[in-house]
Each structure stands twice: as C-alpha cells, then as structure tokens.
Amino acid sequence: MPPSAAQIANINAAVTSASSQVVRDAALALRTHHCPLNRWLGKNNHYATNTVSRIEADVAAGAAPRTEQLARYLAASVLIHCFDGWAFLSNSVDCLLDGDVGTSIHLAYYAELRSVMSFLASEGIGVFNRHHYWLDAAGNCHRLNGPGTHDLVWYGLRQWAAVPSKAGTLLGFFSVGTVSLDTWLNAGGHVLGPAAVAALASSTARL
C-alpha cells in the first residue's frame, strides 16, 4: 500500500534530517566496548534480540525509545544487513547457475532490500516493520509509523536521493577504477549542479 500523505511528510522529514554522524559515533562505541568481547552489542542492549517485537511492545505500552542503545543497534545493523545482503546475492547467483530462476529473482530482491536497509541505517534511519525510528544530529530519536518495511525502504531511498545536499553521497558509492561516478562526469566536462545531481541520484535509486 502506498504511503499516506502524512507518512510521506514524515518520511521526507526523516531523510532530510536524520544524522549519519550519530551512527558513526555509536560505531566507535561498539569498537571500544563490545568488539573486543566478540560482541556486536552489549548484553543489556534492549534491542539486541527480538528487536521488532520489543519495539512493538514499547509502542503499545507508550514507552520511550532507548536512544543510545538504538543508535548502537543501528551501527551494528549497518554491517549485519550488508553481510546478509551479500549472502542473499551469492545464493541468488548460485540458484541462477542451477537454473532456478524464480528463486534467484526472489533472493536478489532480498539482497537489494538488505543493502538499502544497511544504507538507511548508516544514515540514522532504522527500519522495523511498521514502527520505524530515526535519529537527528542532536541525538534525539523520532518515531515514524508505517508504511511497512518494503514500502518504506524503497520510498525512503528515492526520497533520500532526491535531497540535493545528500544525493552526491549516493553517487559517490558508484565507482570505476576507484574513481567515483560524479568525478568521472565532472572530468568529462559535465559539471552537475545540485538539482542535476539529485535527479541523477534519484534515477539511480530506481534501478
């Protein structure tokens, strides 16, 4: 089901104002406190297990999110979602080589889904079924209710790519010979302004 007008406004606020710096700071805390113990998260992190169920229970009870623990969860999920995405892609290719095209397409879709969830988490946006959260630069946590995971992921990526100040980040992920796409374009004499970069990034996000 497409997002409602209110949901679209909330998604736009999230992709415009969410902070990647908060997630990077949380990642440093993981490296300092948990990685030496061979753990992604602390044992007492509220979101370490049964994450969606815990969030749904908190929402039903009117409990405030545990912002610092959520930030650390997002930092860990960047790597875990990325790893799962590559695993889905590898299995997709394996199925394709075996002639199982249907399963290959199914797994390829989930590879894409997990990769975008990883990307959004790195930008401070956590996707949790129907009760999503995002973190602003001051470290405040905001709830974004609905739509479901699949609709939010793809719509959120498109809206994020359409923000001129952020679009260059997405284009920077695409490179040839270690040189980013926007650098290639500019070197070829195609100097892109913010609006053009946003349009190109938005088109890339739809691929």
Side-chain angles (χ1 to χ4, degrees):
M1 180 181 297
S4 66
Q7 290 171 343
I8 289 174
N10 289 335
I11 293 171
N12 289 342
V15 300
T16 301
S17 303
S19 172
S20 60
Q21 185 60 53
V22 173
V23 178
R24 288 197 293 269
D25 292 342
L28 290 176
L30 296 185
R31 186 179 69 177
T32 301
H33 299 294
H34 306 308
C35 291
L37 301 175
N38 294 320
R39 297 185 59 88
W40 287 111
L41 297 170
K43 293 181 179 179
N44 296 323
N45 190 299
H46 183 64
Y47 305 102
T49 60
N50 302 316
T51 308
V52 171
S53 297
R54 287 178 181 268
I55 287 176
E56 290 177 346
D58 287 347
V59 171
R66 306 181 191 194
T67 304
E68 181 179 347
Q69 294 183 18
L70 182 65
R72 293 189 181 190
Y73 174 89
L74 288 182
S77 75
V78 172
L79 297 175
I80 295 170
H81 283 317
C82 183
F83 177 85
D84 287 345
W86 281 110
F88 277 122
L89 180 60
S90 175
N91 289 330
S92 172
V93 173
D94 189 51
C95 288
L96 183 62
L97 294 175
D98 286 341
D100 188 352
V101 177
T103 301
S104 176
I105 293 172
H106 178 77
L107 294 175
Y109 169 78
Y110 276 93
E112 292 178 326
L113 185 74
R114 286 302 188 97
S115 68
V116 179
M117 290 176 70
S118 173
F119 173 72
L120 292 177
S122 75
E123 288 294 306
I125 302 172
V127 180
F128 305 105
N129 195 23
R130 291 194 175 277
H131 301 295
H132 317 290
Y133 287 100
W134 60 275
L135 303 170
D136 65 25
N140 300 312
C141 188
H142 306 265
R143 193 169 86 220
L144 196 169
N145 287 333
T149 293
H150 298 265
D151 290 326
L152 177 67
V153 162
W154 301 120
Y155 190 84
L157 177 64
R158 290 196 296 270
Q159 292 304 104
W160 187 94
V163 178
S165 62
K166 294 179 178 288
T169 302
L170 183 60
L171 292 182
F173 291 152
F174 296 89
S175 62
V176 179
T178 72
V179 179
S180 64
L181 177 59
D182 53 346
T183 301
W184 278 106
L185 291 171
N186 290 332
H190 304 284
V191 179
L192 303 179
V197 169
L200 181 56
S202 183
S203 296
T204 303
R206 289 180 167 83
L207 293 178

PDB file of all heavy atoms in Angstrom, residues 136-154:
ATOM      1  N   ASP A 136      18.242  12.376  14.919  1.00  0.00           N
ATOM      2  CA  ASP A 136      18.692  13.649  14.372  1.00  0.00           C
ATOM      3  C   ASP A 136      20.083  13.985  14.895  1.00  0.00           C
ATOM      4  O   ASP A 136      20.673  13.241  15.689  1.00  0.00           O
ATOM      5  CB  ASP A 136      17.684  14.765  14.666  1.00  0.00           C
ATOM      6  CG  ASP A 136      17.532  15.066  16.157  1.00  0.00           C
ATOM      7  OD1 ASP A 136      18.477  14.792  16.929  1.00  0.00           O
ATOM      8  OD2 ASP A 136      16.464  15.586  16.547  1.00  0.00           O
ATOM      9  N   ALA A 137      20.633  15.111  14.427  1.00  0.00           N
ATOM     10  CA  ALA A 137      22.010  15.468  14.745  1.00  0.00           C
ATOM     11  C   ALA A 137      22.224  15.726  16.231  1.00  0.00           C
ATOM     12  O   ALA A 137      23.347  15.606  16.732  1.00  0.00           O
ATOM     13  CB  ALA A 137      22.427  16.694  13.940  1.00  0.00           C
ATOM     14  N   ALA A 138      21.160  16.069  16.950  1.00  0.00           N
ATOM     15  CA  ALA A 138      21.270  16.307  18.390  1.00  0.00           C
ATOM     16  C   ALA A 138      21.154  15.013  19.188  1.00  0.00           C
ATOM     17  O   ALA A 138      21.235  15.037  20.414  1.00  0.00           O
ATOM     18  CB  ALA A 138      20.182  17.293  18.836  1.00  0.00           C
ATOM     19  N   GLY A 139      20.976  13.905  18.484  1.00  0.00           N
ATOM     20  CA  GLY A 139      20.851  12.621  19.164  1.00  0.00           C
ATOM     21  C   GLY A 139      19.453  12.303  19.623  1.00  0.00           C
ATOM     22  O   GLY A 139      19.244  11.345  20.374  1.00  0.00           O
ATOM     23  N   ASN A 140      18.472  13.098  19.176  1.00  0.00           N
ATOM     24  CA  ASN A 140      17.085  12.830  19.536  1.00  0.00           C
ATOM     25  C   ASN A 140      16.504  11.743  18.637  1.00  0.00           C
ATOM     26  O   ASN A 140      16.850  11.648  17.459  1.00  0.00           O
ATOM     27  CB  ASN A 140      16.240  14.108  19.406  1.00  0.00           C
ATOM     28  CG  ASN A 140      16.741  15.207  20.319  1.00  0.00           C
ATOM     29  OD1 ASN A 140      16.984  14.986  21.499  1.00  0.00           O
ATOM     30  ND2 ASN A 140      16.917  16.399  19.771  1.00  0.00           N
ATOM     31  N   CYS A 141      15.611  10.943  19.190  1.00  0.00           N
ATOM     32  CA  CYS A 141      15.009   9.831  18.454  1.00  0.00           C
ATOM     33  C   CYS A 141      13.577  10.171  18.083  1.00  0.00           C
ATOM     34  O   CYS A 141      12.795  10.655  18.917  1.00  0.00           O
ATOM     35  CB  CYS A 141      15.045   8.569  19.327  1.00  0.00           C
ATOM     36  SG  CYS A 141      14.545   7.075  18.464  1.00  0.00           S
ATOM     37  N   HIS A 142      13.205   9.935  16.841  1.00  0.00           N
ATOM     38  CA  HIS A 142      11.865  10.233  16.342  1.00  0.00           C
ATOM     39  C   HIS A 142      11.240   8.962  15.786  1.00  0.00           C
ATOM     40  O   HIS A 142      11.912   8.191  15.093  1.00  0.00           O
ATOM     41  CB  HIS A 142      11.925  11.285  15.240  1.00  0.00           C
ATOM     42  CG  HIS A 142      12.647  12.542  15.645  1.00  0.00           C
ATOM     43  ND1 HIS A 142      11.998  13.645  16.134  1.00  0.00           N
ATOM     44  CD2 HIS A 142      13.980  12.844  15.640  1.00  0.00           C
ATOM     45  CE1 HIS A 142      12.888  14.590  16.408  1.00  0.00           C
ATOM     46  NE2 HIS A 142      14.097  14.123  16.117  1.00  0.00           N
ATOM     47  N   ARG A 143       9.951   8.769  16.048  1.00  0.00           N
ATOM     48  CA  ARG A 143       9.273   7.584  15.531  1.00  0.00           C
ATOM     49  C   ARG A 143       8.554   7.915  14.228  1.00  0.00           C
ATOM     50  O   ARG A 143       7.991   8.995  14.070  1.00  0.00           O
ATOM     51  CB  ARG A 143       8.266   7.038  16.552  1.00  0.00           C
ATOM     52  CG  ARG A 143       7.788   5.643  16.179  1.00  0.00           C
ATOM     53  CD  ARG A 143       7.017   4.995  17.316  1.00  0.00           C
ATOM     54  NE  ARG A 143       5.610   5.358  17.285  1.00  0.00           N
ATOM     55  CZ  ARG A 143       4.889   5.633  18.358  1.00  0.00           C
ATOM     56  NH1 ARG A 143       5.436   5.601  19.554  1.00  0.00           N
ATOM     57  NH2 ARG A 143       3.620   5.951  18.257  1.00  0.00           N
ATOM     58  N   LEU A 144       8.595   6.957  13.317  1.00  0.00           N
ATOM     59  CA  LEU A 144       7.941   7.096  12.021  1.00  0.00           C
ATOM     60  C   LEU A 144       7.032   5.879  11.852  1.00  0.00           C
ATOM     61  O   LEU A 144       7.516   4.772  11.617  1.00  0.00           O
ATOM     62  CB  LEU A 144       9.003   7.157  10.917  1.00  0.00           C
ATOM     63  CG  LEU A 144       8.636   7.665   9.536  1.00  0.00           C
ATOM     64  CD1 LEU A 144       9.910   7.893   8.719  1.00  0.00           C
ATOM     65  CD2 LEU A 144       7.728   6.710   8.788  1.00  0.00           C
ATOM     66  N   ASN A 145       5.741   6.074  12.002  1.00  0.00           N
ATOM     67  CA  ASN A 145       4.810   4.955  11.924  1.00  0.00           C
ATOM     68  C   ASN A 145       4.410   4.661  10.481  1.00  0.00           C
ATOM     69  O   ASN A 145       3.945   5.558   9.767  1.00  0.00           O
ATOM     70  CB  ASN A 145       3.544   5.246  12.728  1.00  0.00           C
ATOM     71  CG  ASN A 145       3.800   5.174  14.217  1.00  0.00           C
ATOM     72  OD1 ASN A 145       4.684   4.470  14.670  1.00  0.00           O
ATOM     73  ND2 ASN A 145       3.028   5.920  14.981  1.00  0.00           N
ATOM     74  N   GLY A 146       4.575   3.389  10.076  1.00  0.00           N
ATOM     75  CA  GLY A 146       4.159   2.965   8.746  1.00  0.00           C
ATOM     76  C   GLY A 146       4.833   3.781   7.661  1.00  0.00           C
ATOM     77  O   GLY A 146       5.407   4.825   7.942  1.00  0.00           O
ATOM     78  N   PRO A 147       4.800   3.378   6.436  1.00  0.00           N
ATOM     79  CA  PRO A 147       4.273   2.103   5.951  1.00  0.00           C
ATOM     80  C   PRO A 147       5.164   0.935   6.345  1.00  0.00           C
ATOM     81  O   PRO A 147       6.117   1.129   7.105  1.00  0.00           O
ATOM     82  CB  PRO A 147       4.273   2.309   4.432  1.00  0.00           C
ATOM     83  CG  PRO A 147       5.427   3.226   4.205  1.00  0.00           C
ATOM     84  CD  PRO A 147       5.446   4.161   5.384  1.00  0.00           C
ATOM     85  N   GLY A 148       4.866  -0.246   5.835  1.00  0.00           N
ATOM     86  CA  GLY A 148       5.655  -1.428   6.165  1.00  0.00           C
ATOM     87  C   GLY A 148       7.069  -1.363   5.611  1.00  0.00           C
ATOM     88  O   GLY A 148       7.420  -0.462   4.844  1.00  0.00           O
ATOM     89  N   THR A 149       7.854  -2.331   5.991  1.00  0.00           N
ATOM     90  CA  THR A 149       9.275  -2.351   5.649  1.00  0.00           C
ATOM     91  C   THR A 149       9.543  -2.151   4.167  1.00  0.00           C
ATOM     92  O   THR A 149      10.331  -1.286   3.770  1.00  0.00           O
ATOM     93  CB  THR A 149       9.908  -3.685   6.101  1.00  0.00           C
ATOM     94  OG1 THR A 149       9.900  -3.741   7.528  1.00  0.00           O
ATOM     95  CG2 THR A 149      11.338  -3.823   5.592  1.00  0.00           C
ATOM     96  N   HIS A 150       8.891  -2.919   3.318  1.00  0.00           N
ATOM     97  CA  HIS A 150       9.210  -2.892   1.890  1.00  0.00           C
ATOM     98  C   HIS A 150       8.878  -1.534   1.272  1.00  0.00           C
ATOM     99  O   HIS A 150       9.684  -0.985   0.504  1.00  0.00           O
ATOM    100  CB  HIS A 150       8.454  -4.010   1.167  1.00  0.00           C
ATOM    101  CG  HIS A 150       8.838  -5.379   1.650  1.00  0.00           C
ATOM    102  ND1 HIS A 150       9.806  -6.146   1.029  1.00  0.00           N
ATOM    103  CD2 HIS A 150       8.398  -6.112   2.708  1.00  0.00           C
ATOM    104  CE1 HIS A 150       9.947  -7.291   1.686  1.00  0.00           C
ATOM    105  NE2 HIS A 150       9.107  -7.290   2.701  1.00  0.00           N
ATOM    106  N   ASP A 151       7.717  -0.983   1.611  1.00  0.00           N
ATOM    107  CA  ASP A 151       7.351   0.323   1.059  1.00  0.00           C
ATOM    108  C   ASP A 151       8.261   1.420   1.595  1.00  0.00           C
ATOM    109  O   ASP A 151       8.688   2.308   0.853  1.00  0.00           O
ATOM    110  CB  ASP A 151       5.895   0.651   1.393  1.00  0.00           C
ATOM    111  CG  ASP A 151       4.907  -0.228   0.645  1.00  0.00           C
ATOM    112  OD1 ASP A 151       5.203  -0.588  -0.503  1.00  0.00           O
ATOM    113  OD2 ASP A 151       3.851  -0.564   1.211  1.00  0.00           O
ATOM    114  N   LEU A 152       8.566   1.373   2.881  1.00  0.00           N
ATOM    115  CA  LEU A 152       9.400   2.420   3.466  1.00  0.00           C
ATOM    116  C   LEU A 152      10.804   2.402   2.877  1.00  0.00           C
ATOM    117  O   LEU A 152      11.375   3.451   2.570  1.00  0.00           O
ATOM    118  CB  LEU A 152       9.483   2.255   4.984  1.00  0.00           C
ATOM    119  CG  LEU A 152      10.396   3.279   5.671  1.00  0.00           C
ATOM    120  CD1 LEU A 152       9.811   4.674   5.546  1.00  0.00           C
ATOM    121  CD2 LEU A 152      10.642   2.934   7.117  1.00  0.00           C
ATOM    122  N   VAL A 153      11.374   1.217   2.712  1.00  0.00           N
ATOM    123  CA  VAL A 153      12.745   1.110   2.214  1.00  0.00           C
ATOM    124  C   VAL A 153      12.878   1.752   0.844  1.00  0.00           C
ATOM    125  O   VAL A 153      13.755   2.603   0.621  1.00  0.00           O
ATOM    126  CB  VAL A 153      13.183  -0.366   2.172  1.00  0.00           C
ATOM    127  CG1 VAL A 153      14.398  -0.541   1.279  1.00  0.00           C
ATOM    128  CG2 VAL A 153      13.495  -0.864   3.577  1.00  0.00           C
ATOM    129  N   TRP A 154      12.008   1.388  -0.081  1.00  0.00           N
ATOM    130  CA  TRP A 154      12.177   1.890  -1.452  1.00  0.00           C
ATOM    131  C   TRP A 154      11.754   3.344  -1.575  1.00  0.00           C
ATOM    132  O   TRP A 154      12.429   4.133  -2.254  1.00  0.00           O
ATOM    133  CB  TRP A 154      11.395   1.009  -2.431  1.00  0.00           C
ATOM    134  CG  TRP A 154      11.855  -0.411  -2.367  1.00  0.00           C
ATOM    135  CD1 TRP A 154      11.119  -1.508  -2.048  1.00  0.00           C
ATOM    136  CD2 TRP A 154      13.192  -0.901  -2.576  1.00  0.00           C
ATOM    137  NE1 TRP A 154      11.892  -2.636  -2.045  1.00  0.00           N
ATOM    138  CE2 TRP A 154      13.170  -2.308  -2.364  1.00  0.00           C
ATOM    139  CE3 TRP A 154      14.393  -0.296  -2.928  1.00  0.00           C
ATOM    140  CZ2 TRP A 154      14.304  -3.090  -2.494  1.00  0.00           C
ATOM    141  CZ3 TRP A 154      15.532  -1.081  -3.046  1.00  0.00           C
ATOM    142  CH2 TRP A 154      15.473  -2.463  -2.837  1.00  0.00           C
TER     143      TRP A 154
END
